[in-house]
Amino acid sequence: MGTFPFSALVFACLAALLGLRFGLEAWVPTAEAESEAPSKEAGSVMVVPPKPEGLAAAPGAGSGEGQSTMLTPAMCATMIADLQDTCWQALARQTAAADPQEALRQCQKISGEELRYECRADVSETLAPAHRDEAVALCKEIDSVKWRGQCNFGVGLALAETDPEWAVARCEDAEAFKTFCRHDVVGEISLVNVTAAVTICARNEGDTLTRKTCWHGPGKYLARRDMGEAAAFCRQADPQWQGLCFHGLGWGAAERDPDAALAGCAAFGEFADNCRHGVANELKRSDPQRETAICESLTNPEAKAKCLAFVTQ
Amino acid sequence: MQRAALAAAAVALLAGGGVAAWRALHPPPPSPAEKPLDQRAYGETTDKEREDWMRKLGYVD
């Protein structure tokens, strides 16, 4: 056999392998697509927000007494397929305080994986006020990082009023939601114990983001109830983060009444712009034109730039 | 000599093709940075990612 036929063999091998390589790539696009899709989401916004603030309790949540309808397993089992998962979740919450193991069994009947994890987190949260260690143990058993974090977040919120230090410590296990957790847990604490909230934030624990959002939380939570109360809290904040606290104040007050919030901001002197900035940001979803107008009216150039940047985000 | 070089090239091509085929059938798992933020452990998130996320939701100015 001469050189030419052997070269032909080599080139035939090359062609076959290249064909195999690209053919396989085209044939198995799903595996690669699955690994690429999340990067797009992670790079843009976020996928699932933390627990919404002020969300109404589900039927049967909390005490297990239920507000309107007491669900039963028979009701969930006979419900139309689209509603069954939601029914099992509500039933699990209703059952959690009295019989957590039974509640977990009800969670297992949920067909959707995400909702099944959420259900377990709900059971822990409901159980936490009376059986905190058991609740933490249940959180640890959740094998989804996201829902394990949410579970600890929820358990922290459940104890915020009764044991502030323990509640804030739960945030250490809230994974990606850690800073959200501290923000909201300290916010909840401030509603019943302003001194405890000031004490926790004044310790300046954690990274910069953790330290500054600690002051933002109570500003927002207290302003939902009373702007004056929130302003008194913000005046006690670390001077470095007072402006941020007033931003939270503006946001929280605007959730109730944007006009009253703007009028109230005028009384805060050097922090008036921070407050108006918070009002503008809160209006992003409901009234973007007004948001822009408020941003344009800010006198502090840095606040104005940040405010306008948020408009286009 | 030429034949030996060609034979070596053919072996290298086969090996390379095998690796490429294996990678196409078994893509590596996504790195932490490719996962959605909320599905990562705290240590797998950066300061900037967390701050941008919080800003969008009104937790920081």
Side-chain angles (χ1 to χ4, degrees), chain A residues 1 6 14 17 21 28 31 38-39 42 45-46 48 53 146 175-176 179 183-184 207 212-213 216 220 244 247 251 306 310, chain B residues 2-3 6-7 13-14 17 20-21 24 27 34-38 40-42 50-51 53-61:
Chain A
M1 191 161 55
F6 195 80
L14 175 64
L17 288 170
R21 191 250 181 277
V28 284
S39 69
V45 197
M46 39 88 51
V48 178
E53 295 157 2
K146 172 183 158 184
E175 301 299 353
T179 40
H183 179 283
D184 286 350
D207 57 20
K212 67 190 206 185
T213 54
H216 192 270
K220 186 191 277 188
L244 186 71
H247 175 275
W251 185 298
K306 270 188 175 180
F310 190 70
Chain B
Q2 192 181 14
R3 226 176 233 212
L6 285 169
L13 279 171
L14 275 171
E34 288 175 326
K35 284 192 281 185
L37 263 176
D38 62 352
R40 296 188 222 164
Y42 183 77
R50 288 195 299 272
E51 183 149 5
W53 186 12
M54 294 193 88
R55 182 167 294 112
K56 284 182 198 301
L57 294 171
Y59 281 65
V60 68
D61 67 7

Tab-separated table of all heavy atoms in Angstrom, chain A residues 1 6 14 17 21 28 31 38-39 42 45-46 48 53 146 175-176 179 183-184 207 212-213 216 220 244 247 251 306 310, chain B residues 2-3 6-7 13-14 17 20-21 24 27 34-38 40-42 50-51 53-61:
chain	number	residue	atom	x	y	z
A	1	MET	N	0.848	-1.199	0.000
A	1	MET	CA	0.000	0.000	0.000
A	1	MET	C	0.880	1.245	0.000
A	1	MET	O	1.793	1.376	0.790
A	1	MET	CB	-0.889	0.008	1.228
A	1	MET	CG	-1.934	1.070	1.114
A	1	MET	SD	-3.327	0.820	2.199
A	1	MET	CE	-2.607	0.682	3.768
A	6	PHE	N	-2.883	5.465	2.465
A	6	PHE	CA	-2.810	5.616	3.924
A	6	PHE	C	-3.234	7.031	4.355
A	6	PHE	O	-3.957	7.216	5.334
A	6	PHE	CB	-1.378	5.319	4.400
A	6	PHE	CG	-1.320	5.092	5.875
A	6	PHE	CD1	-1.685	3.852	6.417
A	6	PHE	CD2	-0.931	6.096	6.738
A	6	PHE	CE1	-1.655	3.649	7.777
A	6	PHE	CE2	-0.898	5.892	8.097
A	6	PHE	CZ	-1.253	4.654	8.624
A	14	LEU	N	-10.406	11.555	10.109
A	14	LEU	CA	-10.640	12.938	10.549
A	14	LEU	C	-12.068	13.376	10.238
A	14	LEU	O	-12.783	13.901	11.084
A	14	LEU	CB	-9.630	13.863	9.843
A	14	LEU	CG	-9.818	15.351	10.095
A	14	LEU	CD1	-9.593	15.670	11.558
A	14	LEU	CD2	-8.852	16.163	9.238
A	17	LEU	N	-14.561	11.560	12.505
A	17	LEU	CA	-14.558	12.064	13.890
A	17	LEU	C	-15.181	13.443	14.003
A	17	LEU	O	-15.931	13.724	14.943
A	17	LEU	CB	-13.118	12.081	14.424
A	17	LEU	CG	-12.564	10.686	14.715
A	17	LEU	CD1	-11.074	10.754	14.992
A	17	LEU	CD2	-13.290	10.076	15.903
A	21	ARG	N	-18.363	14.258	16.211
A	21	ARG	CA	-18.319	15.270	17.269
A	21	ARG	C	-19.458	16.292	17.121
A	21	ARG	O	-20.219	16.551	18.027
A	21	ARG	CB	-16.953	15.973	17.228
A	21	ARG	CG	-16.691	16.872	18.448
A	21	ARG	CD	-16.704	18.324	18.073
A	21	ARG	NE	-16.427	19.183	19.222
A	21	ARG	CZ	-17.336	19.553	20.086
A	21	ARG	NH1	-18.563	19.117	19.991
A	21	ARG	NH2	-17.036	20.371	21.073
A	28	VAL	N	-27.564	16.107	20.986
A	28	VAL	CA	-27.857	16.221	22.421
A	28	VAL	C	-27.844	17.683	22.848
A	28	VAL	O	-27.098	18.072	23.720
A	28	VAL	CB	-26.866	15.410	23.299
A	28	VAL	CG1	-27.184	13.960	23.246
A	28	VAL	CG2	-25.425	15.687	22.904
A	31	ALA	N	-28.989	18.735	26.983
A	31	ALA	CA	-28.107	18.738	28.152
A	31	ALA	C	-27.344	20.033	28.254
A	31	ALA	O	-27.225	20.627	29.323
A	31	ALA	CB	-27.130	17.567	28.053
A	38	PRO	N	-29.638	28.726	33.033
A	38	PRO	CA	-29.612	29.479	34.277
A	38	PRO	C	-28.662	30.668	34.251
A	38	PRO	O	-28.908	31.671	34.894
A	38	PRO	CB	-29.154	28.441	35.315
A	38	PRO	CG	-29.456	27.126	34.684
A	38	PRO	CD	-29.269	27.350	33.231
A	39	SER	N	-27.571	30.552	33.488
A	39	SER	CA	-26.604	31.639	33.496
A	39	SER	C	-27.230	32.920	32.981
A	39	SER	O	-26.932	33.995	33.450
A	39	SER	CB	-25.383	31.273	32.662
A	39	SER	OG	-25.726	31.223	31.305
A	42	ALA	N	-29.352	34.220	35.831
A	42	ALA	CA	-28.563	34.733	36.944
A	42	ALA	C	-27.897	36.038	36.578
A	42	ALA	O	-27.713	36.908	37.420
A	42	ALA	CB	-27.507	33.705	37.337
A	45	VAL	N	-31.688	39.409	36.038
A	45	VAL	CA	-32.364	39.841	37.261
A	45	VAL	C	-32.175	38.762	38.311
A	45	VAL	O	-31.098	38.258	38.534
A	45	VAL	CB	-33.867	40.099	36.987
A	45	VAL	CG1	-34.477	40.943	38.110
A	45	VAL	CG2	-34.052	40.810	35.659
A	46	MET	N	-33.198	38.378	38.931
A	46	MET	CA	-33.127	37.295	39.875
A	46	MET	C	-34.323	36.434	39.569
A	46	MET	O	-35.203	36.835	38.854
A	46	MET	CB	-33.151	37.812	41.301
A	46	MET	CG	-34.069	38.952	41.544
A	46	MET	SD	-35.716	38.492	41.953
A	46	MET	CE	-35.445	37.348	43.229
A	48	VAL	N	-36.267	34.022	41.825
A	48	VAL	CA	-37.364	33.973	42.782
A	48	VAL	C	-37.058	34.933	43.921
A	48	VAL	O	-36.005	34.829	44.529
A	48	VAL	CB	-37.552	32.551	43.332
A	48	VAL	CG1	-38.664	32.510	44.360
A	48	VAL	CG2	-37.858	31.604	42.196
A	53	GLU	N	-42.946	40.692	51.637
A	53	GLU	CA	-43.287	41.288	52.924
A	53	GLU	C	-44.791	41.496	52.997
A	53	GLU	O	-45.433	41.853	52.027
A	53	GLU	CB	-42.582	42.627	53.059
A	53	GLU	CG	-41.085	42.464	53.101
A	53	GLU	CD	-40.371	43.715	52.678
A	53	GLU	OE1	-41.031	44.721	52.387
A	53	GLU	OE2	-39.138	43.670	52.622
A	146	LYS	N	-31.705	26.519	47.938
A	146	LYS	CA	-32.635	27.646	47.943
A	146	LYS	C	-33.681	27.519	49.053
A	146	LYS	O	-33.891	28.451	49.836
A	146	LYS	CB	-33.331	27.708	46.580
A	146	LYS	CG	-34.463	28.702	46.500
A	146	LYS	CD	-35.119	28.625	45.142
A	146	LYS	CE	-36.523	29.171	45.155
A	146	LYS	NZ	-37.174	28.997	43.854
A	175	GLU	N	-28.411	31.165	53.462
A	175	GLU	CA	-27.721	31.057	52.161
A	175	GLU	C	-27.796	32.362	51.372
A	175	GLU	O	-27.471	33.388	51.911
A	175	GLU	CB	-28.276	29.855	51.376
A	175	GLU	CG	-28.109	28.515	52.109
A	175	GLU	CD	-26.650	28.126	52.391
A	175	GLU	OE1	-25.739	28.802	51.932
A	175	GLU	OE2	-26.430	27.119	53.108
A	176	ALA	N	-28.245	32.302	50.115
A	176	ALA	CA	-28.228	33.514	49.280
A	176	ALA	C	-29.146	34.603	49.839
A	176	ALA	O	-29.019	35.775	49.476
A	176	ALA	CB	-28.636	33.165	47.856
A	179	THR	N	-28.635	38.333	53.547
A	179	THR	CA	-28.776	39.769	53.786
A	179	THR	C	-30.250	40.200	53.754
A	179	THR	O	-30.652	41.078	54.500
A	179	THR	CB	-27.948	40.582	52.772
A	179	THR	OG1	-28.044	39.978	51.482
A	179	THR	CG2	-26.492	40.625	53.177
A	183	HIS	N	-32.196	41.979	56.945
A	183	HIS	CA	-32.989	43.182	56.686
A	183	HIS	C	-34.407	43.010	57.237
A	183	HIS	O	-34.913	43.862	57.977
A	183	HIS	CB	-33.020	43.420	55.171
A	183	HIS	CG	-33.812	44.589	54.702
A	183	HIS	ND1	-35.191	44.579	54.628
A	183	HIS	CD2	-33.432	45.816	54.259
A	183	HIS	CE1	-35.625	45.739	54.154
A	183	HIS	NE2	-34.572	46.512	53.926
A	184	ASP	N	-35.042	41.904	56.876
A	184	ASP	CA	-36.447	41.714	57.248
A	184	ASP	C	-36.615	41.318	58.715
A	184	ASP	O	-37.558	41.753	59.372
A	184	ASP	CB	-37.089	40.651	56.343
A	184	ASP	CG	-37.338	41.184	54.940
A	184	ASP	OD1	-37.188	42.404	54.730
A	184	ASP	OD2	-37.680	40.391	54.048
A	207	ASP	N	-20.428	41.732	56.354
A	207	ASP	CA	-19.819	42.564	55.304
A	207	ASP	C	-20.572	43.896	55.185
A	207	ASP	O	-21.560	44.137	55.876
A	207	ASP	CB	-19.800	41.809	53.978
A	207	ASP	CG	-21.187	41.360	53.536
A	207	ASP	OD1	-22.183	41.927	54.016
A	207	ASP	OD2	-21.286	40.433	52.712
A	212	LYS	N	-25.088	47.733	56.183
A	212	LYS	CA	-25.922	48.872	55.789
A	212	LYS	C	-27.393	48.504	55.634
A	212	LYS	O	-28.261	49.298	55.996
A	212	LYS	CB	-25.369	49.554	54.540
A	212	LYS	CG	-25.390	48.805	53.247
A	212	LYS	CD	-24.562	49.604	52.222
A	212	LYS	CE	-24.982	49.343	50.812
A	212	LYS	NZ	-24.121	50.024	49.844
A	213	THR	N	-27.675	47.295	55.129
A	213	THR	CA	-29.093	46.949	54.982
A	213	THR	C	-29.755	46.708	56.337
A	213	THR	O	-30.974	46.752	56.442
A	213	THR	CB	-29.293	45.706	54.082
A	213	THR	OG1	-28.503	44.637	54.582
A	213	THR	CG2	-28.895	46.002	52.658
A	216	HIS	N	-31.471	49.794	56.936
A	216	HIS	CA	-32.531	50.030	55.959
A	216	HIS	C	-33.832	49.340	56.380
A	216	HIS	O	-34.923	49.905	56.230
A	216	HIS	CB	-32.072	49.502	54.594
A	216	HIS	CG	-32.913	49.922	53.426
A	216	HIS	ND1	-33.994	49.189	52.990
A	216	HIS	CD2	-32.837	50.992	52.600
A	216	HIS	CE1	-34.539	49.784	51.928
A	216	HIS	NE2	-33.848	50.881	51.668
A	220	LYS	N	-37.662	51.010	56.826
A	220	LYS	CA	-38.813	50.664	55.976
A	220	LYS	C	-39.991	50.132	56.799
A	220	LYS	O	-41.119	50.569	56.634
A	220	LYS	CB	-38.375	49.609	54.954
A	220	LYS	CG	-39.437	49.283	53.930
A	220	LYS	CD	-39.078	48.051	53.109
A	220	LYS	CE	-38.144	48.367	51.968
A	220	LYS	NZ	-37.940	47.206	51.053
A	244	LEU	N	-29.170	55.852	54.093
A	244	LEU	CA	-29.786	54.619	53.613
A	244	LEU	C	-31.031	54.283	54.432
A	244	LEU	O	-32.044	53.822	53.899
A	244	LEU	CB	-28.776	53.478	53.705
A	244	LEU	CG	-29.252	52.166	53.100
A	244	LEU	CD1	-29.319	52.248	51.584
A	244	LEU	CD2	-28.351	51.026	53.518
A	247	HIS	N	-33.774	56.244	53.188
A	247	HIS	CA	-34.256	55.678	51.922
A	247	HIS	C	-35.303	54.606	52.212
A	247	HIS	O	-36.378	54.576	51.604
A	247	HIS	CB	-33.080	55.086	51.134
A	247	HIS	CG	-33.478	54.375	49.873
A	247	HIS	ND1	-33.872	53.051	49.853
A	247	HIS	CD2	-33.562	54.809	48.585
A	247	HIS	CE1	-34.172	52.698	48.616
A	247	HIS	NE2	-33.985	53.738	47.821
A	251	TRP	N	-39.345	54.523	51.227
A	251	TRP	CA	-39.949	53.377	50.548
A	251	TRP	C	-41.147	52.849	51.361
A	251	TRP	O	-42.242	52.642	50.825
A	251	TRP	CB	-38.910	52.273	50.353
A	251	TRP	CG	-39.380	51.097	49.553
A	251	TRP	CD1	-40.411	50.242	49.866
A	251	TRP	CD2	-38.867	50.638	48.295
A	251	TRP	NE1	-40.552	49.288	48.896
A	251	TRP	CE2	-39.625	49.504	47.923
A	251	TRP	CE3	-37.832	51.052	47.464
A	251	TRP	CZ2	-39.376	48.797	46.747
A	251	TRP	CZ3	-37.590	50.338	46.290
A	251	TRP	CH2	-38.361	49.234	45.946
A	306	LYS	N	-28.233	57.836	41.142
A	306	LYS	CA	-28.649	56.480	41.522
A	306	LYS	C	-30.132	56.273	41.245
A	306	LYS	O	-30.552	55.230	40.750
A	306	LYS	CB	-28.414	56.280	43.030
A	306	LYS	CG	-27.062	55.735	43.394
A	306	LYS	CD	-27.068	55.406	44.868
A	306	LYS	CE	-25.803	54.744	45.310
A	306	LYS	NZ	-25.822	54.438	46.755
A	310	PHE	N	-31.917	53.654	38.538
A	310	PHE	CA	-32.899	52.635	38.933
A	310	PHE	C	-34.131	52.676	38.019
A	310	PHE	O	-34.759	51.654	37.764
A	310	PHE	CB	-33.325	52.878	40.389
A	310	PHE	CG	-34.141	51.772	40.988
A	310	PHE	CD1	-33.570	50.543	41.286
A	310	PHE	CD2	-35.488	51.950	41.269
A	310	PHE	CE1	-34.321	49.524	41.850
A	310	PHE	CE2	-36.253	50.931	41.833
A	310	PHE	CZ	-35.663	49.725	42.124
B	2	GLN	N	7.380	8.634	7.202
B	2	GLN	CA	6.143	9.361	6.917
B	2	GLN	C	4.932	8.562	7.388
B	2	GLN	O	3.965	9.103	7.904
B	2	GLN	CB	6.062	9.609	5.411
B	2	GLN	CG	4.980	10.610	5.050
B	2	GLN	CD	4.920	10.820	3.545
B	2	GLN	OE1	5.496	10.041	2.771
B	2	GLN	NE2	4.256	11.845	3.118
B	3	ARG	N	5.048	7.260	7.184
B	3	ARG	CA	3.960	6.382	7.590
B	3	ARG	C	3.763	6.395	9.102
B	3	ARG	O	2.637	6.427	9.605
B	3	ARG	CB	4.283	4.961	7.141
B	3	ARG	CG	3.108	4.330	6.487
B	3	ARG	CD	3.516	2.993	5.996
B	3	ARG	NE	3.169	2.908	4.616
B	3	ARG	CZ	2.825	1.770	4.047
B	3	ARG	NH1	2.905	0.661	4.705
B	3	ARG	NH2	2.462	1.736	2.802
B	6	LEU	N	2.001	9.574	10.093
B	6	LEU	CA	0.578	9.518	9.762
B	6	LEU	C	-0.186	8.608	10.725
B	6	LEU	O	-1.310	8.917	11.134
B	6	LEU	CB	0.404	9.043	8.310
B	6	LEU	CG	0.729	10.085	7.245
B	6	LEU	CD1	0.786	9.436	5.864
B	6	LEU	CD2	-0.305	11.197	7.262
B	7	ALA	N	0.485	7.508	11.082
B	7	ALA	CA	-0.165	6.594	12.035
B	7	ALA	C	-0.360	7.289	13.381
B	7	ALA	O	-1.417	7.178	14.014
B	7	ALA	CB	0.688	5.345	12.204
B	13	LEU	N	-5.957	11.659	16.427
B	13	LEU	CA	-7.299	12.060	16.005
B	13	LEU	C	-8.373	11.200	16.663
B	13	LEU	O	-9.401	11.701	17.120
B	13	LEU	CB	-7.416	11.956	14.481
B	13	LEU	CG	-6.847	13.119	13.684
B	13	LEU	CD1	-6.837	12.761	12.204
B	13	LEU	CD2	-7.664	14.366	13.921
B	14	LEU	N	-8.103	9.911	16.708
B	14	LEU	CA	-9.070	9.006	17.342
B	14	LEU	C	-9.254	9.355	18.815
B	14	LEU	O	-10.367	9.421	19.332
B	14	LEU	CB	-8.589	7.562	17.210
B	14	LEU	CG	-8.958	6.859	15.895
B	14	LEU	CD1	-8.243	5.520	15.806
B	14	LEU	CD2	-10.471	6.646	15.818
B	17	GLY	N	-11.054	12.691	19.103
B	17	GLY	CA	-12.464	12.513	18.762
B	17	GLY	C	-13.223	11.823	19.872
B	17	GLY	O	-14.364	12.167	20.163
B	20	ALA	N	-13.872	14.328	22.561
B	20	ALA	CA	-14.910	15.276	22.148
B	20	ALA	C	-16.282	14.628	22.201
B	20	ALA	O	-17.254	15.244	22.650
B	20	ALA	CB	-14.609	15.794	20.747
B	21	ALA	N	-16.354	13.384	21.755
B	21	ALA	CA	-17.637	12.686	21.772
B	21	ALA	C	-18.126	12.488	23.205
B	21	ALA	O	-19.298	12.666	23.521
B	21	ALA	CB	-17.497	11.343	21.056
B	24	ALA	N	-19.429	15.722	24.546
B	24	ALA	CA	-20.732	16.074	23.977
B	24	ALA	C	-21.845	15.290	24.651
B	24	ALA	O	-22.940	15.795	24.859
B	24	ALA	CB	-20.727	15.804	22.476
B	27	PRO	N	-21.960	16.616	29.321
B	27	PRO	CA	-21.526	17.988	29.591
B	27	PRO	C	-21.248	18.183	31.080
B	27	PRO	O	-21.914	17.555	31.911
B	27	PRO	CB	-22.722	18.836	29.138
B	27	PRO	CG	-23.879	17.904	29.176
B	27	PRO	CD	-23.351	16.540	28.898
B	34	GLU	N	-23.046	29.936	37.205
B	34	GLU	CA	-24.067	29.746	36.177
B	34	GLU	C	-25.433	29.424	36.766
B	34	GLU	O	-26.421	29.441	36.059
B	34	GLU	CB	-23.636	28.626	35.226
B	34	GLU	CG	-22.490	29.034	34.313
B	34	GLU	CD	-21.991	27.877	33.469
B	34	GLU	OE1	-22.004	26.737	33.965
B	34	GLU	OE2	-21.582	28.117	32.338
B	35	LYS	N	-25.468	29.116	38.073
B	35	LYS	CA	-26.749	28.810	38.697
B	35	LYS	C	-27.475	30.098	39.038
B	35	LYS	O	-26.842	31.108	39.330
B	35	LYS	CB	-26.516	28.008	39.988
B	35	LYS	CG	-26.161	26.573	39.744
B	35	LYS	CD	-26.224	25.763	41.034
B	35	LYS	CE	-25.009	25.967	41.891
B	35	LYS	NZ	-24.958	25.122	43.076
B	36	PRO	N	-28.804	30.102	39.055
B	36	PRO	CA	-29.516	31.297	39.505
B	36	PRO	C	-29.075	31.662	40.916
B	36	PRO	O	-28.766	30.784	41.730
B	36	PRO	CB	-30.985	30.863	39.486
B	36	PRO	CG	-31.038	29.726	38.533
B	36	PRO	CD	-29.713	29.028	38.640
B	37	LEU	N	-29.083	32.944	41.194
B	37	LEU	CA	-28.586	33.424	42.496
B	37	LEU	C	-29.253	32.736	43.685
B	37	LEU	O	-28.591	32.369	44.647
B	37	LEU	CB	-28.850	34.928	42.603
B	37	LEU	CG	-27.714	35.865	42.247
B	37	LEU	CD1	-28.197	37.298	42.324
B	37	LEU	CD2	-26.533	35.655	43.190
B	38	ASP	N	-30.551	32.595	43.596
B	38	ASP	CA	-31.256	32.064	44.762
B	38	ASP	C	-31.005	30.582	44.990
B	38	ASP	O	-31.408	30.047	46.016
B	38	ASP	CB	-32.763	32.366	44.674
B	38	ASP	CG	-33.415	31.719	43.462
B	38	ASP	OD1	-32.681	31.166	42.612
B	38	ASP	OD2	-34.650	31.766	43.361
B	40	ARG	N	-27.934	29.335	44.979
B	40	ARG	CA	-26.537	29.197	45.392
B	40	ARG	C	-26.405	29.351	46.901
B	40	ARG	O	-27.196	30.036	47.523
B	40	ARG	CB	-25.688	30.280	44.741
B	40	ARG	CG	-25.636	30.176	43.241
B	40	ARG	CD	-24.628	31.165	42.718
B	40	ARG	NE	-25.095	31.830	41.537
B	40	ARG	CZ	-24.573	32.940	41.054
B	40	ARG	NH1	-23.560	33.525	41.681
B	40	ARG	NH2	-25.046	33.488	39.969
B	41	ALA	N	-25.350	28.732	47.419
B	41	ALA	CA	-25.012	28.968	48.822
B	41	ALA	C	-24.457	30.387	48.941
B	41	ALA	O	-24.012	30.962	47.940
B	41	ALA	CB	-23.975	27.955	49.277
B	42	TYR	N	-24.506	30.937	50.143
B	42	TYR	CA	-24.050	32.317	50.332
B	42	TYR	C	-22.630	32.508	49.793
B	42	TYR	O	-22.339	33.489	49.121
B	42	TYR	CB	-24.092	32.677	51.822
B	42	TYR	CG	-23.710	34.108	52.102
B	42	TYR	CD1	-24.611	35.132	51.863
B	42	TYR	CD2	-22.447	34.428	52.592
B	42	TYR	CE1	-24.276	36.453	52.113
B	42	TYR	CE2	-22.093	35.745	52.837
B	42	TYR	CZ	-23.011	36.749	52.602
B	42	TYR	OH	-22.668	38.053	52.834
B	50	ARG	N	-25.096	40.235	45.073
B	50	ARG	CA	-26.075	40.394	46.157
B	50	ARG	C	-26.596	41.819	46.207
B	50	ARG	O	-27.793	42.057	46.383
B	50	ARG	CB	-25.425	40.025	47.496
B	50	ARG	CG	-25.175	38.552	47.688
B	50	ARG	CD	-24.873	38.227	49.137
B	50	ARG	NE	-23.691	38.898	49.623
B	50	ARG	CZ	-22.449	38.426	49.527
B	50	ARG	NH1	-22.249	37.273	48.943
B	50	ARG	NH2	-21.425	39.099	50.003
B	51	GLU	N	-25.709	42.791	46.049
B	51	GLU	CA	-26.136	44.189	46.141
B	51	GLU	C	-27.073	44.548	44.981
B	51	GLU	O	-28.085	45.225	45.180
B	51	GLU	CB	-24.922	45.122	46.178
B	51	GLU	CG	-25.346	46.579	46.357
B	51	GLU	CD	-24.323	47.406	47.117
B	51	GLU	OE1	-23.245	46.887	47.430
B	51	GLU	OE2	-24.640	48.577	47.404
B	53	TRP	N	-28.982	42.549	43.352
B	53	TRP	CA	-30.231	41.829	43.612
B	53	TRP	C	-31.064	42.594	44.650
B	53	TRP	O	-32.270	42.821	44.459
B	53	TRP	CB	-29.862	40.439	44.121
B	53	TRP	CG	-30.990	39.472	44.321
B	53	TRP	CD1	-32.288	39.617	43.882
B	53	TRP	CD2	-30.920	38.221	45.002
B	53	TRP	NE1	-33.021	38.504	44.252
B	53	TRP	CE2	-32.220	37.649	44.936
B	53	TRP	CE3	-29.917	37.513	45.645
B	53	TRP	CZ2	-32.508	36.404	45.503
B	53	TRP	CZ3	-30.208	36.286	46.203
B	53	TRP	CH2	-31.476	35.730	46.130
B	54	MET	N	-30.411	43.019	45.706
B	54	MET	CA	-31.133	43.739	46.770
B	54	MET	C	-31.641	45.083	46.263
B	54	MET	O	-32.736	45.515	46.614
B	54	MET	CB	-30.223	43.943	47.981
B	54	MET	CG	-29.849	42.648	48.664
B	54	MET	SD	-29.112	42.893	50.280
B	54	MET	CE	-30.560	42.923	51.340
B	55	ARG	N	-30.859	45.736	45.421
B	55	ARG	CA	-31.290	47.055	44.910
B	55	ARG	C	-32.557	46.919	44.091
B	55	ARG	O	-33.474	47.717	44.223
B	55	ARG	CB	-30.165	47.667	44.078
B	55	ARG	CG	-30.503	49.065	43.552
B	55	ARG	CD	-29.320	49.798	43.009
B	55	ARG	NE	-28.353	50.103	44.065
B	55	ARG	CZ	-27.141	49.563	44.162
B	55	ARG	NH1	-26.732	48.707	43.241
B	55	ARG	NH2	-26.332	49.878	45.143
B	56	LYS	N	-32.611	45.879	43.273
B	56	LYS	CA	-33.801	45.680	42.436
B	56	LYS	C	-35.053	45.501	43.283
B	56	LYS	O	-36.158	45.793	42.840
B	56	LYS	CB	-33.615	44.458	41.540
B	56	LYS	CG	-32.702	44.704	40.356
B	56	LYS	CD	-32.600	43.472	39.506
B	56	LYS	CE	-31.403	43.506	38.585
B	56	LYS	NZ	-31.381	44.604	37.679
B	57	LEU	N	-34.883	44.976	44.458
B	57	LEU	CA	-36.042	44.691	45.312
B	57	LEU	C	-36.255	45.750	46.389
B	57	LEU	O	-37.094	45.577	47.274
B	57	LEU	CB	-35.880	43.309	45.958
B	57	LEU	CG	-35.907	42.159	44.951
B	57	LEU	CD1	-35.513	40.860	45.619
B	57	LEU	CD2	-37.278	42.026	44.330
B	58	GLY	N	-35.495	46.826	46.344
B	58	GLY	CA	-35.710	47.921	47.284
B	58	GLY	C	-35.146	47.677	48.666
B	58	GLY	O	-35.625	48.234	49.651
B	59	TYR	N	-34.109	46.864	48.768
B	59	TYR	CA	-33.493	46.612	50.069
B	59	TYR	C	-32.272	47.490	50.304
B	59	TYR	O	-31.642	47.427	51.337
B	59	TYR	CB	-33.082	45.142	50.172
B	59	TYR	CG	-34.226	44.189	50.486
B	59	TYR	CD1	-35.265	43.999	49.595
B	59	TYR	CD2	-34.265	43.513	51.687
B	59	TYR	CE1	-36.304	43.130	49.880
B	59	TYR	CE2	-35.309	42.639	51.991
B	59	TYR	CZ	-36.313	42.460	51.081
B	59	TYR	OH	-37.342	41.596	51.373
B	60	VAL	N	-31.923	48.291	49.294
B	60	VAL	CA	-30.769	49.152	49.417
B	60	VAL	C	-30.945	50.258	48.371
B	60	VAL	O	-31.698	50.080	47.404
B	60	VAL	CB	-29.467	48.321	49.201
B	60	VAL	CG1	-29.339	47.837	47.780
B	60	VAL	CG2	-28.240	49.060	49.621
B	61	ASP	N	-30.266	51.397	48.559
B	61	ASP	CA	-30.524	52.513	47.625
B	61	ASP	C	-29.641	52.432	46.381
B	61	ASP	O	-28.787	51.558	46.276
B	61	ASP	CB	-30.351	53.856	48.312
B	61	ASP	CG	-28.895	54.132	48.717
B	61	ASP	OD1	-28.002	53.355	48.356
B	61	ASP	OD2	-28.684	55.132	49.416
